[in-house]
């Protein structure tokens, strides 16, 4: 199995539950932005700690692009506050924003490299804009190209690079001015899966080596799963759910989160799902979500010992997210005896499993 997720509701972080602290690099307070009748942002509040990777995920049109533009000062909110390293940038003039923007690095989906300039010149561009001496610029570019594994490409031009190499150059450029915050705007969306994994691994390594705070904007749950510490789900301009990645993935509360997770959480095989009915049948099909200690325990063996009768596993498995075991199991239970079914469900819930009766089937599956 590849990605299977589960639920432990008592460790979830409710929306807005984490109070701001002195280590917050980013703090947004009731951010609102409208375009005509459309509320692109409708009261967004969240914080990002120093050294943390926060993933913000949502569908197209959810408000992600507007949010990131407010973070780097390219968009002015109608109301609310945007604090970067403790300073509210939401009402600063362009001249005051200039030095603060140097504290924010940006990597883009389509790389945005200067095709007529060499790789090292592209990397050094932010330092040239700052007015740094040429020798200093090139020394910093060499240091960063080594960090991203492209030292041998310093004199090359972007046209000779692969997509993954171009993104590595983009990452090096974003780090040139030693930012406190790195914004990643769909940085892997244009890359193939293997290259995406290598870029995400690089970002995680940079986060660990430099203690760099990273905010990821994405529509891909696998990106969040791979490297984020926390996730915030945005829908129609609102943060509808947030918390540690493994707990949100394990027990998604909102319909949008459940939908976004549909591609990577295990689903009942279509052949079985097509046979489900709400009428009593030979077997009841249960979905059992487990996490933490419940996922570590021999749950099904204990069930067999504690509850007379029969049942069997038809699909599912256990995986790990952020070093936490999580799993989803689909189990067929004798469905003709309601008392037996109730006893099975009660036992599982007592073990901190979330249980859902999906329906019944007339014959064994």
């Amino acid at each position: 199995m590849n990605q299977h997720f589960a639920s432990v509701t008592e460790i979830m972080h409710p929306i807005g539950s984490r109070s701001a602290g002195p280590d917050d690099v980013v703090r947004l307070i009731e951010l609102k932005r409208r375009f005509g009748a459309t509320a692109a942002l409708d009261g967004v509040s969240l914080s990002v700690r120093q050294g943390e990777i926060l993933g913000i995920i949502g569908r197209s049109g959810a408000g992600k692009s507007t949010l990131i533009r407010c973070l780097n000062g390219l968009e002015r909110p109608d109301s609310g506050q945007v604090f970067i390293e403790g300073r509210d940038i939401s009402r600063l003039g362009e001249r005051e924003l200039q030095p603060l923007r140097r504290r924010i690095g940006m990597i883009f989906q389509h790389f945005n490299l200067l095709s007529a300039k060499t790789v090292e010149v592209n990397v050094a561009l932010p330092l040239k804009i700052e007015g740094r001496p040429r020798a200093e610029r090139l020394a910093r570019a060499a240091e960063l190209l080594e960090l991203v594994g492209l030292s041998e490409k310093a004199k090359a031009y972007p046209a000779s690079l692969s997509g993954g190499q171009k993104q590595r150059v983009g990452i090096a450029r974003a780090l040139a001015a030693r930012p406190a915050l790195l914004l990643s705007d769909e940085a892997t969306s244009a890359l193939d899966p293997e290259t995406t994994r290598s870029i995400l691994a690089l970002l995680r390594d940079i986060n660990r080596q430099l203690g760099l705070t990273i905010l990821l904007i994405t529509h891909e749950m696998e990106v969040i799963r791979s490297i984020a510490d926390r996730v915030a789900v945005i829908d129609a301009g609102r943060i509808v759910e947030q918390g540690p990645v493994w707990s949100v993935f394990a027990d998604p509360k909102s319909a949008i989160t459940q939908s976004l997770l549909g591609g990577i959480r295990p689903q009942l095989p279509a052949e079985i799902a097509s046979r489900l009915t709400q009428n009593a049948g030979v077997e009841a099909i249960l979905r059992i979500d487990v996490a933490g200690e419940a996922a570590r325990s021999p749950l099904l063996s204990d069930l067999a010992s504690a509850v007379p009768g029969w049942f069997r596993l038809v699909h599912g498995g256990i995986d790990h997210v952020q070093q936490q075991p999580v799993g989803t199991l689909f189990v067929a239970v004798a469905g003709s005896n309601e008392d037996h079914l109730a006893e099975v469900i009660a036992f599982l819930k007592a073990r901190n499993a979330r249980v859902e009766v999906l329906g019944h089937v007339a014959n064994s599956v």
Side-chain angles (χ1 to χ4, degrees):
M1 304 298 297
N2 256 352
Q3 294 105 1
H4 291 155
F5 304 102
S7 63
V8 170
T9 57
E10 60 268 24
I11 65 168
M12 289 291 294
H13 288 216
I15 295 171
S17 65
R18 193 180 77 78
S19 58
D23 293 332
D24 288 331
V25 174
V26 175
R27 183 157 57 99
L28 307 181
I29 301 175
E30 285 295 312
L31 212 58
K32 295 186 178 183
R33 182 71 172 103
R34 298 187 71 87
F35 296 100
T38 303
L41 298 175
D42 191 14
V44 170
S45 296
L46 58 83
S47 300
V48 191
R49 303 180 187 92
Q50 194 280 324
E52 180 179 43
I53 300 180
L54 173 69
I56 297 180
I57 188 164
R59 292 172 173 157
S60 297
K64 304 189 302 296
S65 296
T66 303
L67 178 59
I68 208 166
R69 288 175 64 83
C70 286
L71 280 167
N72 59 24
L74 295 176
E75 194 77 56
R76 301 281 185 172
D78 297 325
S79 63
Q81 295 172 288
V82 180
F83 288 92
I84 305 293
E85 292 189 298
R87 186 170 184 186
D88 185 2
I89 72 167
S90 54
R91 297 294 177 264
L92 294 182
E94 189 62 29
R95 180 174 293 181
E96 294 173 296
L97 275 172
Q98 291 290 341
L100 285 172
R101 284 203 181 111
R102 297 187 192 114
R103 301 293 292 158
I104 303 173
M106 188 86 186
I107 53 177
F108 305 91
Q109 178 179 359
H110 297 296
F111 323 128
N112 290 10
L113 302 180
L114 300 177
S115 60
K117 302 295 183 181
T118 64
V119 163
E120 65 180 357
V121 172
N122 268 279
V123 173
L125 182 61
L127 301 179
K128 184 176 182 179
I129 294 171
E130 280 188 38
R132 301 287 185 176
R134 184 174 186 275
E136 179 185 339
R137 300 197 308 263
L138 295 181
R140 178 63 172 159
E143 174 188 340
L144 290 168
L145 287 173
E146 182 177 359
L147 177 67
V148 301
L150 287 179
S151 294
E152 75 284 0
K153 297 292 185 180
K155 303 298 183 182
Y157 287 85
S160 69
L161 304 181
S162 68
Q165 290 171 332
K166 289 176 183 177
Q167 195 55 284
R168 287 173 181 266
V169 174
I171 292 170
R173 180 186 57 192
L175 298 175
R178 295 180 170 84
L181 173 66
L182 182 63
L183 300 180
S184 171
D185 187 9
E186 301 282 8
T188 59
S189 294
L191 304 175
D192 62 75
E194 183 178 356
T195 305
T196 291
R197 286 191 292 272
S198 72
I199 293 298
L200 294 177
L202 174 62
L203 289 175
R204 172 54 87 181
D205 287 344
I206 289 170
N207 165 258
R208 289 170 175 167
Q209 290 181 45
L210 306 181
L212 182 65
T213 305
I214 301 176
L215 192 150
L216 296 163
I217 298 288
T218 185
H219 66 276
E220 300 173 287
M221 275 295 188
E222 184 54 37
V223 170
I224 299 291
R225 181 186 188 274
S226 296
I227 67 167
D229 300 309
R230 286 191 304 126
V231 59
V233 182
I234 187 169
D235 186 42
R238 288 181 168 273
I239 302 297
V240 296
E241 188 163 2
Q242 64 175 300
V245 169
W246 82 273
S247 60
V248 171
F249 274 40
D251 189 16
K253 301 296 187 184
S254 71
I256 182 64
T257 310
Q258 293 168 10
S259 176
L260 289 168
L261 281 167
I264 57 176
R265 297 181 83 209
Q267 304 297 319
L268 187 65
E271 189 277 329
I272 300 175
S274 67
R275 296 168 55 191
L276 288 178
T277 175
Q278 296 308 306
N279 301 320
V282 171
E283 291 182 327
I285 306 299
L286 307 184
R287 177 182 178 127
I288 305 168
D289 290 316
V290 289
E293 290 305 315
R296 293 186 183 96
S297 70
L299 185 65
L300 297 184
S301 295
D302 291 348
L303 173 63
S305 299
V307 182
W310 66 270
F311 64 90
R312 59 196 181 84
L313 179 67
V314 296
H315 187 60
I318 302 294
D319 196 9
H320 285 72
V321 180
Q322 291 187 308
Q323 292 77 52
Q324 289 286 346
V326 296
T328 296
L329 309 173
F330 295 93
V331 173
V333 179
S336 56
N337 186 330
E338 290 187 6
D339 291 338
H340 174 250
L341 181 59
E343 192 174 355
V344 168
I345 293 172
F347 176 88
L348 293 170
K349 287 184 175 180
R351 293 297 188 92
N352 293 321
R354 188 177 66 180
V355 185
E356 180 184 1
V357 180
L358 299 179
H360 294 74
V361 290
N363 301 303
S364 295
V365 295

